[in-house]
Amino acid sequence: MKKLTINTLALAFTLAFSAGVMAEGMSKTEYKAGKDKISADFKTARASCDSLSGNASDICAAEAKGNEKVALAELQARYKPSQKAHYEVRVAKAEAVYDVAKEKCDDQAGNGKDVCLKEAKAAETAAKADAKAQMKTAEANATAGEKTAEARSDASKKGVAARQDATADKTDAQYAVAKEKCDTYSGAAKDSCLDKAKMNFHK
């Protein structure tokens, strides 16, 4: 099986919003109907996994659960729109992709599997870091829009800080992948690999 990379993990599978297109500010009745449909869709998708076996069944189940998780988060964001709700959608997507990627890594063994898992975790970390930075920046900008120029300047600084935090999180995750790859070596070659990883990621 071709090794998954950080860049391709985000495209591991398509996350569909099964509740359909609903207007923001929907009624409680519409919200409940949406939840019922998501639940029914999940049960149908999960049942289809029963015809599979082994890891293929596990991957199918993870995809079904991931689609349900994302659909519920998107439904909530339409029912009660907020920066936090939209952040939760992005987190749900990151976790869903990660859960499927983990199952796909089970098709590998040894260091290849270890690297695959580290790459999956790095992709999830990157997605969550970006989501958090986006939420913090949006919140700061919204608050600043109602206040003084000083507040807007402060909002800009918070946005920069949030993006820096996101970059640090992603760098740490990528460093973990690089270290894991060094386990394919031993002795001086491994030491050299680790030194190179430290230098590349400024550790």
Side-chain angles (χ1 to χ4, degrees), residues 26 32 64 103 114 120 155 168 178 182 193 203:
M26 68 178 71
K32 185 179 183 306
E103 294 298 340
D114 293 339
C182 292
C193 179
K203 297 295 182 182

Side-chain angles (χ1 to χ4, degrees), residues 12-194:
F13 65 97
T14 302
L15 293 161
F17 173 43
S18 58
V21 179
M22 297 185 181
E24 292 186 352
M26 68 178 71
S27 69
K28 195 167 185 178
T29 301
E30 290 173 321
Y31 174 68
K32 185 179 183 306
K35 286 186 72 174
D36 290 343
K37 186 175 190 309
I38 290 170
S39 178
D41 288 346
F42 167 69
K43 288 176 182 177
T44 299
R46 186 65 184 82
S48 70
C49 299
D50 292 340
S51 62
L52 303 173
S53 61
N55 198 42
S57 178
D58 294 338
I59 292 171
C60 179
E63 287 176 341
K65 188 64 181 175
N67 283 328
E68 180 193 35
K69 182 186 291 186
V70 173
L72 286 171
E74 290 183 329
L75 178 65
Q76 183 64 30
R78 284 167 171 75
Y79 182 46
K80 293 183 178 179
S82 68
Q83 290 297 337
K84 180 72 161 69
H86 291 303
Y87 164 74
E88 294 295 345
V89 170
R90 290 189 287 271
V91 168
K93 287 180 178 180
E95 291 177 346
V97 170
Y98 174 60
D99 288 341
V100 172
K102 279 195 304 180
E103 294 298 340
K104 289 185 175 181
C105 290
D106 283 345
D107 286 332
Q108 301 187 48
N111 183 252
K113 179 177 179 179
D114 293 339
V115 171
C116 180
L117 289 169
K118 281 289 194 301
E119 288 180 332
K121 189 63 181 176
E124 182 196 32
T125 298
K128 285 186 173 181
D130 285 340
K132 188 174 182 180
Q134 189 173 352
M135 179 181 68
K136 285 187 174 181
T137 301
E139 287 177 343
N141 288 339
T143 301
E146 303 168 358
K147 297 186 178 180
T148 63
E150 182 179 351
R152 287 193 290 275
S153 175
D154 182 56
S156 178
K157 290 176 183 176
K158 286 182 179 178
V160 171
R163 287 190 291 275
Q164 288 174 336
D165 287 343
T167 298
D169 287 345
K170 288 187 277 188
T171 297
D172 288 344
Q174 289 166 353
Y175 175 53
V177 173
K179 285 196 300 180
E180 194 65 48
K181 289 180 178 179
C182 292
D183 282 349
T184 57
Y185 305 106
S186 61
K190 182 175 181 179
D191 291 338
S192 176
C193 179
L194 289 170

